[in-house]
Amino acid sequence: MHRAPRQFRGPLIVGLVLLFLAGCQSSGSRPALKNPFKFAGPGRDKKELQPDELLDPLGARNPDRVTMHDLSPGQIGTTLRTLGKGKPDEAVAQQHFDQGQVYYREAIALREANAEDAQAVDLMDQAAGEFRLAAHRWPDSALEQDALFFLGESYYFANRYVQANRAYESLIAQYSGSHYFDRAEERRFSIARYWLGRARDDKGLQAWKPGDPARPAMGLAGEGRRILHRIRLDDPTGKLADDATMQLAAAFMEARMFQDAADAFEDLRQSYPGSQHLFNSHLFELKCRMNCYYGKSYEAEPLVKADELLRQIMTRFPIEAGEHEDYLGREASRVRNLLAERDYSMGQYYEHRGENRAASRMYQEVARSFGDTGYADNVDERLAEVGEGPPLPPQQAQWLVDLFPKTERARPMIAAGDKESLLR
């Protein structure tokens, strides 16, 4: 029997492990295709996805997924141990948790002495392994709740942000009322901002950088946006909800996803009227709405909303509006001209079809509502032109229309004023 060369044994073993993991659970951020409504977690029964996750456009939350970083040399041993369905054992779980606390405290002490201490990172990795095993050996318990939080903290301080975010997601998914909730959301918020900053520094290049546990393998900016989206859904009344919504909208805007950005800004100003971002949400939504307008041949909703935003800005933020007077003035003039262009073009369309009565109404609307624009200058001439023609175009091929039988209008069952038939 021939053996594989030594230099190929390592990749071969990793490949076999990957095949094994693929059979155990989904490795991505979405549920397995066999049952899209559930996902499996290590050592516990399948859990139903939350209703807001089923149709989530940014990806459903799956805190039990296995990442590539779990297969690194220092992590694969713990990963394999947590994949099995071992019998719950509180004593063993407590031992792992206590040992994790020892490593964690030593690492914190080293970090306080020297933030760049490599030994502190190694100790955090060891602590994370212990906390992960503790959570695995005693699921659905207060000990698991503590272990998941400190697992996230250990990964966070070890610069393993992908695994840290997964631990925090698992904590929030299972213990939404946890006293660690706010701290976990703060960590996730900082991770999302870090990933968006990295994506900006990479100038949009989402190339996979092997061995970097601080960032996802692919979709760096997309993962950052997903976390922000989940934060505002997990705790819509929390102290970070409006900040996460603002960051998400700004990230959409930076990615030139103007419709998504405009919707996020609109959600911010409607859901958080007391937010410190309220004026900026109005201003940036205005910019996004104008970028969503593609011309007179397309829908007018972006223009209508932009016009409404301009009115609200001038009414609700007179001081801030004065600081942006030039920009707001230009946009107000631009919106009115574009709206006038739509009505005037519609009048031309009806006039071309010979529907002079409809054309006259559109031209009159331009004169009444947009008299301060250039399109109102030609309205009188057009009104005189269409006024000389018939209200409706002549019927074409009248002989063909006459071939079809004329249906009588449905008569009422009771004639007007006929009360006698009701008394019979």
Side-chain angles (χ1 to χ4, degrees):
M1 181 177 180
H2 298 284
R3 293 185 178 181
R6 184 178 300 273
Q7 62 270 27
F8 295 113
R9 291 179 188 172
L12 179 60
I13 293 175
V14 173
L16 292 175
V17 171
L18 287 174
L19 289 176
F20 169 75
L21 296 178
C24 293
Q25 62 183 42
S26 171
S27 61
S29 60
R30 295 183 183 273
L33 293 179
K34 292 182 180 179
N35 189 348
F37 301 102
K38 296 181 179 180
F39 62 86
R44 54 174 64 98
D45 297 333
K46 292 182 178 180
K47 296 183 177 181
E48 297 287 346
L49 283 173
Q50 296 299 319
D52 63 332
E53 294 181 309
L54 294 176
L55 302 178
D56 195 334
L58 297 186
R61 174 178 55 205
N62 183 1
D64 294 317
R65 64 190 180 277
V66 175
T67 70
M68 291 299 296
H69 303 300
D70 294 319
L71 305 178
S72 61
Q75 301 284 321
I76 190 170
T78 304
T79 299
L80 293 176
R81 293 176 65 182
T82 56
L83 284 176
K85 294 185 178 180
K87 183 179 180 180
D89 191 322
E90 183 178 5
V92 174
Q94 188 66 54
Q95 291 176 6
H96 285 299
F97 182 81
D98 293 341
Q99 186 59 49
Q101 284 287 335
V102 172
Y103 291 142
Y104 182 80
R105 293 193 186 97
E106 291 179 4
I108 290 295
L110 290 175
R111 280 181 56 87
E112 292 177 352
N114 182 6
E116 303 297 330
D117 196 316
Q119 185 180 358
V121 175
D122 293 338
L123 285 171
M124 283 295 181
D125 282 338
Q126 295 180 52
E130 296 294 335
F131 290 132
R132 192 174 179 187
L133 290 171
H136 171 69
R137 293 307 299 269
W138 195 246
D140 302 323
S141 66
L143 180 63
E144 184 192 29
Q145 181 182 167
D146 295 335
L148 286 174
F149 174 73
F150 283 103
L151 174 61
E153 292 288 278
S154 300
Y155 279 141
Y156 183 85
F157 291 120
N159 300 325
R160 293 184 173 274
Y161 299 137
V162 177
Q163 294 163 294
N165 176 64
R166 180 188 59 187
Y168 293 132
E169 282 189 347
S170 184
L171 173 67
I172 292 170
Q174 298 178 59
Y175 305 99
S176 59
S178 171
H179 58 282
Y180 298 121
F181 188 93
D182 290 341
R183 293 175 64 184
E185 292 289 53
E186 289 175 3
R187 298 296 195 205
R188 297 181 68 215
F189 184 73
S190 64
I191 290 172
R193 295 188 62 183
Y194 172 75
W195 285 348
L196 291 171
R198 284 286 297 270
R200 190 181 306 112
D201 295 339
D202 292 346
K203 298 180 180 179
L205 298 177
Q206 305 297 324
W208 177 27
K209 296 181 179 179
D212 185 2
R215 54 171 289 168
M218 294 177 291
L220 185 60
E223 278 297 296
R225 293 193 294 265
R226 186 187 69 83
I227 293 177
L228 294 173
H229 177 61
R230 292 307 316 176
I231 289 175
R232 69 194 191 114
L233 292 184
D234 290 337
D235 191 12
T237 60
K239 62 180 181 180
L240 287 177
D242 63 326
D243 295 328
T245 305
M246 185 67 184
Q247 288 285 333
L248 176 63
F252 278 134
M253 188 176 179
E254 187 174 7
R256 302 189 66 80
M257 302 168 67
F258 294 114
Q259 185 62 56
D260 292 322
D263 292 341
F265 284 126
E266 182 180 20
D267 181 49
L268 172 61
R269 63 183 179 84
Q270 291 181 352
S271 302
Y272 308 102
S275 172
Q276 59 179 341
H277 307 295
L278 198 58
F279 172 73
N280 287 332
S281 66
H282 281 77
L283 187 65
F284 292 146
E285 184 186 347
L286 172 62
K287 295 181 179 181
C288 292
R289 294 295 180 193
M290 295 305 294
N291 277 283
C292 291
Y293 181 66
Y294 299 112
K296 60 185 180 182
S297 300
Y298 297 85
E299 61 179 356
E301 182 184 11
L303 280 184
V304 173
K305 289 192 172 184
D307 186 53
E308 179 184 353
L309 282 167
L310 284 165
R311 298 177 188 276
Q312 291 184 13
I313 290 173
M314 300 303 296
T315 303
R316 301 180 61 182
F317 309 99
I319 299 176
E320 293 85 346
E323 299 174 358
H324 300 80
E325 182 178 0
D326 293 340
Y327 169 75
L328 294 175
R330 289 195 305 269
E331 290 303 294
S333 177
R334 181 185 172 197
V335 168
R336 289 189 60 76
N337 275 281
L338 290 174
L339 288 172
E341 179 191 29
R342 294 183 66 87
D343 287 352
Y344 189 84
S345 298
M346 187 60 67
Q348 290 180 316
Y349 169 77
Y350 286 132
E351 182 180 358
H352 179 72
R353 288 173 54 89
E355 300 180 19
N356 294 315
R357 181 163 53 192
S360 176
R361 290 178 178 175
M362 296 309 301
Y363 290 138
Q364 290 174 5
E365 178 63 24
V366 172
R368 179 173 61 254
S369 301
F370 307 103
D372 56 340
T373 66
Y375 291 96
D377 297 341
N378 300 326
V379 165
D380 293 339
E381 180 181 350
R382 302 314 319 149
L383 284 173
E385 185 72 21
V386 299
E388 296 177 358
L392 297 174
Q395 177 66 56
Q396 302 295 328
Q398 183 64 43
W399 61 272
L400 181 60
V401 176
D402 294 338
L403 292 178
F404 292 92
K406 297 181 179 180
T407 59
E408 296 183 359
R409 296 182 60 184
R411 296 179 179 179
M413 296 180 63
I414 301 175
D418 182 11
K419 298 181 180 179
E420 296 182 359
S421 59
L422 295 176
L423 302 176
R424 291 176 184 175

